[in-house]
Amino acid sequence: MKFSPLRLLANTLFFLQMSDASQRVRETNQSVTSDFTLMGLFNHSGPHLALFSLVAATFTMGLLGNAILIFLIHTDARLHTPMYFLLSQLSLLDVGFPLVTIPKMAADFLEEEGTISFGGCAAQMFFLMLIGVSEGVLLSLMSYDRYIAVCHPLHYPVLMRHQVCLLMVGISWLSGVLVASIQTSITLHFPYCASRTVDHFFCELPALLKLSCADTSAYELALSISGVLILVLPMSLIATSYSHVLGAVLHMHSAEARHKAFTTCSSHITVVGLFYGAAVFMYMVPGTYHTPQQDNVVSLFYSLITPMLNPLIYSLRNREVQMALVRILFRTGFRSKR
């Protein structure tokens, strides 16, 4: 057989192509079948045990507070208004936020094991993004509700009829599903063939991207741009709504009406500030400007502290919610005596 340089070159190219294809298959298989390891928040030292107990208590308080608020809005006819309907949806989202992260973190701490499957990591990331985007959109739509209530009270029953409220809730949930589906699928498309230890207590998108062995710089830039749009557009609607609300409130002649408007709107602005402050830090500030430890603290804040504070903010500063709770307690006590 004669030696052929062309045949040798063809065989070499074929071998390189097969090697490259098998390498991609190995990377894909490793990404799909291998587990991730979550670093967690605490170790088993004395101070960390106390912090874990505090997190567990906060988690319980948040679930209980939001569940009570949903129950009051559902059962008390005086709270069957557009504002409280939207508030019940906010409480529902605030129930979901800690449920996605805290039970897994607690189980890992108690079992002294931090592994999470590829599918579990994908589910965590998807539901966190769904809830986060939905809540951001819902908060902006709640500011529109307050704008209509204060600036156009005579048109409020028409502009905020039940069908419009359902449409608002549908838009917020669909926005969350759309963004979460796109971001999760793109993020999990990257190969994770290096270290699989996530320097976080749950699977969050920025922490996971750091583990990819592919170049993610273009996607991170696109993620920052989309993050700006997802955050800035609702924040612009909130700022515009409340600038009009503030002008209308300052021109009110009744001190009682002015006080009620300020109380309701200040509660909502406080919730908006807590939520968007953490979101801006995580998704608009470049990763080089904050450490993994700071990311853990901010993530714990928006996934646990904020959902716990929201029902307290709305109930402590809202007389209608307080009176609804009193009526429920009174009826319960009256029935028990009978």
Side-chain angles (χ1 to χ4, degrees), residues 93-110:
L93 291 169
D94 283 339
V95 168
F97 242 138
L99 282 177
V100 176
T101 58
I102 303 303
K104 171 61 178 170
M105 184 269 289
D108 290 344
F109 176 78
L110 295 174

Side-chain angles (χ1 to χ4, degrees), residues 17-34 191-193:
Q17 288 173 352
M18 291 299 294
S19 299
D20 184 59
S22 63
Q23 175 66 23
R24 287 198 299 268
V25 169
R26 282 196 299 270
E27 288 178 358
T28 303
N29 288 339
Q30 189 175 13
S31 293
V32 174
T33 59
S34 298
Y192 294 94
C193 50

Side-chain angles (χ1 to χ4, degrees), residues 78-127:
R78 293 176 179 86
L79 300 182
H80 291 175
T81 64
M83 184 185 79
Y84 289 111
F85 174 72
L86 296 177
L87 180 56
S88 69
Q89 295 300 308
L90 179 66
S91 292
L92 183 62
L93 291 169
D94 283 339
V95 168
F97 242 138
L99 282 177
V100 176
T101 58
I102 303 303
K104 171 61 178 170
M105 184 269 289
D108 290 344
F109 176 78
L110 295 174
E111 296 173 3
E112 299 186 33
E113 182 183 1
T115 58
I116 183 171
S117 66
F118 186 87
C121 193
Q124 251 194 358
M125 189 161 51
F126 174 82
F127 284 110

Side-chain angles (χ1 to χ4, degrees), residues 7-25:
R7 178 172 296 188
L8 177 62
L9 179 60
N11 290 337
T12 304
L13 289 174
F14 177 76
F15 175 76
L16 290 175
Q17 288 173 352
M18 291 299 294
S19 299
D20 184 59
S22 63
Q23 175 66 23
R24 287 198 299 268
V25 169

Side-chain angles (χ1 to χ4, degrees), residues 167-311:
L167 179 63
M168 286 181 167
V169 172
I171 289 173
S172 66
W173 280 97
L174 286 175
S175 300
V177 170
L178 179 63
V179 173
S181 300
I182 295 172
Q183 301 286 22
T184 302
S185 60
I186 294 176
T187 302
L188 297 179
H189 175 74
F190 291 110
Y192 294 94
C193 50
S195 170
R196 304 183 73 83
T197 302
V198 183
D199 197 358
H200 211 47
F201 68 96
F202 62 85
C203 288
E204 192 165 31
L205 194 150
L208 207 60
L209 283 178
K210 295 176 182 178
L211 303 182
S212 176
C213 53
D215 182 16
T216 61
S217 56
Y219 175 57
E220 289 182 37
L221 178 61
L223 185 65
S224 298
I225 295 172
S226 65
V228 169
L229 294 175
I230 292 170
L231 292 173
V232 169
L233 290 178
M235 288 172 66
S236 301
L237 177 59
I238 291 170
T240 303
S241 298
Y242 277 111
S243 63
H244 286 89
V245 167
L246 181 60
V249 168
L250 293 176
H251 287 88
M252 287 180 177
H253 300 292
S254 170
E256 183 180 353
R258 190 161 54 244
H259 175 73
K260 182 178 180 180
F262 264 127
T263 301
T264 305
C265 295
S266 61
S267 298
H268 185 245
I269 291 173
T270 303
V271 172
V272 167
L274 291 173
F275 177 83
Y276 277 100
V280 165
F281 181 86
M282 285 299 298
Y283 291 97
M284 289 181 64
V285 177
T288 53
Y289 291 93
H290 43 90
T291 65
Q293 290 75 22
Q294 290 173 330
D295 289 345
N296 275 326
V297 172
V298 174
S299 297
L300 185 67
F301 184 82
Y302 77 72
S303 65
L304 177 67
I305 307 299
T306 301
M308 184 271 295
L309 290 176
N310 285 353

